[in-house]
Amino acid sequence: MSLEAKAVSIERDNRPIVEDATIAIDRGGMTALVGPNGAGKSTLLKALAGEYAVTSGEVSLDGRPVSGLSAGELARRRSVMAQASSIVFDFTVEEILDLGWVQGQSRNNGQHRAATSEVVRECRIGHLMGRTFNTLSGGEQQRVQFARCLLQVWQPHDEVDTRYVLLDEPTSSLDLAHELMVLRLARRYAQRSAGVLVVLHDLNLAARFCRNIVIMFEGRVVANGDPAEVLNDALLSDVYATEIRVEWHEALERIVVHA
Ligand SMILES: Nc1ncnc2c1ncn2[C@@H]1O[C@H](COP(=O)(O)OP(=O)(O)OP(=O)(O)O)[C@@H](O)[C@H]1O
Ligand SMILES: [Mg+2]
């Protein structure tokens, strides 16, 4: 069971943006999508989310083409955190979170309240409840959007997760501590057998938290696999046109990438 793009090409304004990309987001672990600015990461993520039509190839969710799923079904099976989101109306934080509650049950029942308070506690946004979203700092807004995303695919803990979470640079505005918090929560969610795709620019975080790393370059998937295999000096230096070194850090017991 996975969320898959098979040989997907996407054009925007008659320009090829993604070409022949194949990627599978398996359940049970996080997949990182990395690559330089403009490589096509957000475009591929939106196609996986069913938000962009593909020019050729196919996107399927557990074997069913996403183009055939209803909006409601898509909302229950996968949540998306966009790279940039502007909120036009003066919604409160509660109202933003409520937008994420799509599980069919009405609001303000026991399950909705339990799920919301769990997610609010985990994302450490309790002190922001009652505030107007547009008055929050960039990092606070990002944590609320992340919480909304988790709430959308919330499932009771005694059920096996069958959902997918697509996060486009969810930590771009966060301080170090909150960055780790978000990635730990996302990974734990994946370990409960959901599938999580996260677009990241920080290759160290990608290596540390993700089971699989996909590298995109100029619209194509140029590497896909285990972090230790995919992250190598030659490929990264080529893709980023910058000298990059990958080393094993004995004390930290993990890969360190530096430019
Ligand atoms: N609607 C569009 N019309 C024309 N070009 C587009 C459109 N959307 C994206 N592009 C172009 O497609 C390329 C890939 O964009 P995309 O947003 O997928 O990149 P990205 O890998 O997410 O980059 P970043 O790391 O900067 O977020 C870019 O060159 C962008 O300018
Ligand atoms: Mg992007």
Side-chain angles (χ1 to χ4, degrees):
M1 290 300 181
S2 60
L3 177 56
E4 282 182 55
K6 274 196 203 130
V8 157
S9 295
I10 302 161
E11 281 180 11
R12 306 287 296 163
D13 290 345
N14 296 319
R15 246 189 73 200
I17 307 287
V18 172
E19 290 181 82
D20 197 24
T22 294
I23 162 178
I25 299 149
D26 295 322
R27 298 217 201 120
M30 277 215 284
T31 298
L33 183 56
V34 307
N37 291 139
K41 304 178 297 297
S42 296
T43 306
L44 181 59
L45 182 140
K46 284 178 185 153
L48 284 161
E51 291 175 5
Y52 276 177
V54 301
T55 318
S56 61
E58 189 177 72
V59 177
S60 58
L61 191 154
D62 293 346
R64 294 170 63 197
V66 290
S67 53
L69 298 178
S70 70
E73 224 168 342
L74 266 180
R76 284 187 295 277
R77 295 301 309 283
R78 60 95 183 105
S79 67
V80 187
M81 182 172 167
Q83 184 171 358
S85 54
S86 58
I87 305 285
V88 181
F89 301 107
D90 272 340
F91 284 126
T92 63
V93 170
E94 281 91 336
E95 284 168 333
I96 297 283
L97 293 180
D98 282 349
L99 293 175
W101 189 252
V102 295
Q103 303 308 327
Q105 309 92 334
S106 57
R107 295 196 182 112
N108 285 320
N109 58 15
Q111 193 174 60
H112 171 233
R113 279 196 298 272
T116 303
S117 66
E118 180 186 308
V119 167
V120 163
R121 181 174 31 83
E122 287 181 341
C123 297
R124 298 186 207 148
I125 55 170
H127 60 296
L128 304 176
M129 302 303 276
R131 294 273 306 273
T132 301
F133 181 82
N134 286 331
T135 67
L136 302 181
S137 76
E140 288 168 345
Q141 290 190 355
Q142 206 163 27
R143 266 151 54 215
V144 171
Q145 289 291 10
F146 178 68
R148 194 263 314 147
C149 207
L150 287 190
L151 195 60
Q152 188 180 324
V153 288
W154 189 89
Q155 277 183 275
H157 289 250
D158 54 358
E159 285 180 16
V160 174
D161 273 305
T162 56
R163 297 177 182 164
Y164 297 91
V165 181
L166 305 170
L167 304 167
D168 198 346
E169 300 195 34
T171 60
S172 58
S173 301
L174 300 185
D175 66 58
L176 250 153
H178 285 119
E179 198 168 51
L180 291 177
M181 180 201 84
V182 160
L183 289 171
R184 284 194 181 116
L185 285 173
R187 181 175 58 188
R188 202 193 63 194
Y189 189 78
Q191 285 166 345
R192 280 175 50 196
S193 91
V196 179
L197 178 75
V198 58
V199 177
L200 289 172
H201 281 299
D202 187 327
L203 300 176
N204 286 299
L205 289 175
R208 185 167 162 190
F209 283 94
C210 297
R211 192 170 64 178
N212 202 52
I213 297 185
V214 177
I215 304 182
M216 277 191 92
F217 178 55
E218 295 182 346
R220 292 179 177 273
V221 171
V222 294
N224 183 350
D226 184 78
E229 283 166 28
V230 163
L231 299 179
N232 66 75
D233 299 11
L235 178 65
L236 293 180
S237 301
D238 196 29
V239 159
Y240 290 95
T242 299
E243 203 174 312
I244 294 175
R245 292 189 63 178
V246 183
E247 283 164 333
W248 178 255
H249 194 295
E250 285 295 343
L252 293 173
E253 295 187 350
R254 60 173 181 252
I255 295 169
V256 174
V257 183
H258 51 101

